[in-house]
Amino acid sequence: MTLRVGVQLPEVERVVRRDELAAMARAAEDCGFDSIWVGDHLLYRGAGRSERGPWDCWATLAWLAAVTERVTLGPLVACTAFHPPGILARQAAAVDELSGGRLVAALGAGWNQEEFRAFGLPFDHHVSRFEEAFTIIRRLLAGERVTADGRYHSVHDAVLLPRPARTPKLMIGANKPRMLAITLPHVDAWNTWFTHYGNNADGFAEHNAYVSEAAERAGRDPAAIERSACVLVEVEPGRGERPRDVPAVPADALRAHLDALAQAGADEAILVLDPITEGSIRAVAAAALRT
């Protein structure tokens, strides 16, 4: 299977306005990338950096659906705590419809406690809250009529209307054992951020094997779950906008790195380019994509 390659659009590197965002999305599509992704965060603070945050995830995805025609779209990843689960399912269904069936419904529990505090969102019983929300979201997106009385979330005879034309691909962005046990019986794909596997193929191979073992424990055929890895790429040395928690892959070594990731079991690589500009997207596509 050929490795699919996507790119994450700017999240917190700097403020990017609509025209530049549209130019980046169109460049990614024109240059042959398979997908574009946007982060789902409310804000970042601390660590000696200024306050920053991306545009609203679901509004941005709906707009990107209108300015592109081919690429897959997705949140990287949508936090289930930011919206009631039934409303999040409706947002996802609308983006899938508006994009002509190009959405990947990628979900996670969230982790940045500062944004939870800032917007008055509860962080206690974090995974339990996610489990209830995840169950409601996936069942609604599958076309079910759902009643659920949970400790944290409840819906009563809920149904998505208009009825979605299809069930979007469901992806989980998580690594801890309990989160994997909750989600792997149901998802189509699993994604991991580059810091979790060291941004290198050997680290991904080890992490990938761990996910396969978790899938087997959850009663799922590991081969039925696609594997997606984010990759931090240094495009212009000395001009980086992201902190280096792990070594970045130099752009001129990216093609070999992607080949190694595929050998390690990845079905998809989502590039986090540093810096992220339209020029970076075009330069990396020319150097690393096989079209």
Side-chain angles (χ1 to χ4, degrees):
M1 180 178 179
T2 302
L3 184 76
R4 301 188 306 277
V5 183
V7 63
Q8 185 189 39
L9 298 183
E11 182 190 28
V12 298
E13 295 86 350
R14 65 188 187 284
V15 175
V16 177
R17 301 291 175 180
R18 66 185 297 274
D19 290 345
E20 185 182 5
L21 195 64
M24 289 183 192
R26 290 174 177 136
E29 185 163 77
D30 292 344
C31 290
F33 282 97
D34 297 297
S35 57
I36 55 178
W37 304 80
V38 299
D40 187 22
H41 283 282
L42 307 178
L43 58 78
Y44 285 92
R45 287 176 176 149
R49 301 193 66 178
S50 61
E51 291 183 324
R52 61 206 192 282
W55 300 109
D56 176 78
C57 168
W58 291 106
T60 301
L61 286 170
W63 180 68
L64 289 171
V67 300
T68 60
E69 297 179 354
R70 176 189 57 80
V71 287
T72 296
L73 308 167
L76 198 63
V77 292
C79 178
T80 58
F82 291 168
H83 305 277
I87 302 305
L88 194 154
R90 280 183 52 82
Q91 291 170 308
V95 171
D96 192 58
E97 172 67 22
L98 295 172
S99 67
R102 292 186 282 137
L103 176 74
V104 175
L107 305 174
W111 56 270
N112 180 11
Q113 293 189 46
E114 182 58 34
E115 61 189 339
F116 281 74
R117 284 192 291 268
F119 284 85
L121 300 171
F123 200 80
D124 61 288
H125 302 94
H126 195 52
V127 177
S128 295
R129 290 179 184 275
F130 169 83
E131 183 172 17
E132 290 186 7
F134 175 75
T135 300
I136 293 168
I137 293 164
R138 67 172 179 80
R139 289 182 61 194
L140 285 171
L141 288 176
E144 295 183 36
R145 185 178 294 272
V146 182
T147 294
D149 288 302
R151 181 177 179 183
Y152 307 104
H153 300 290
S154 297
V155 292
H156 302 281
D157 197 27
V159 62
L160 297 185
L161 296 173
R163 291 191 176 274
R166 66 160 205 147
T167 299
K169 178 187 288 187
L170 193 61
M171 175 187 281
I172 180 62
N175 296 277
K176 296 295 180 66
R178 186 179 169 198
M179 287 287 289
L180 293 177
I182 291 167
T183 58
L184 291 184
H186 307 287
V187 297
D188 304 295
W190 162 83
N191 171 265
T192 188
W193 193 245
F194 52 79
T195 53
H196 292 293
Y197 69 95
N199 208 40
N200 63 77
D202 289 341
F204 180 80
E206 181 178 347
H207 207 39
N208 191 36
Y210 158 76
V211 170
S212 291
E213 292 170 0
E216 290 177 346
R217 287 193 297 272
R220 187 79 183 281
D221 178 6
I225 302 170
E226 294 182 3
R227 313 303 167 94
S228 171
C230 295
V231 180
L232 178 62
V233 182
E234 183 180 62
V235 182
E236 298 180 44
R239 283 199 56 201
E241 299 170 321
R242 279 184 168 270
R244 290 289 191 269
D245 300 318
V246 295
V249 177
D252 59 5
L254 181 57
R255 183 64 259 168
H257 182 83
L258 295 178
D259 290 341
L261 270 183
Q263 289 295 317
D267 300 293
E268 175 180 56
I270 300 173
L271 307 185
V272 182
L273 305 181
D274 195 13
I276 173 64
T277 63
E278 180 185 353
S280 294
I281 291 170
R282 294 188 181 280
V284 167
L289 293 188
R290 290 174 177 157
T291 57

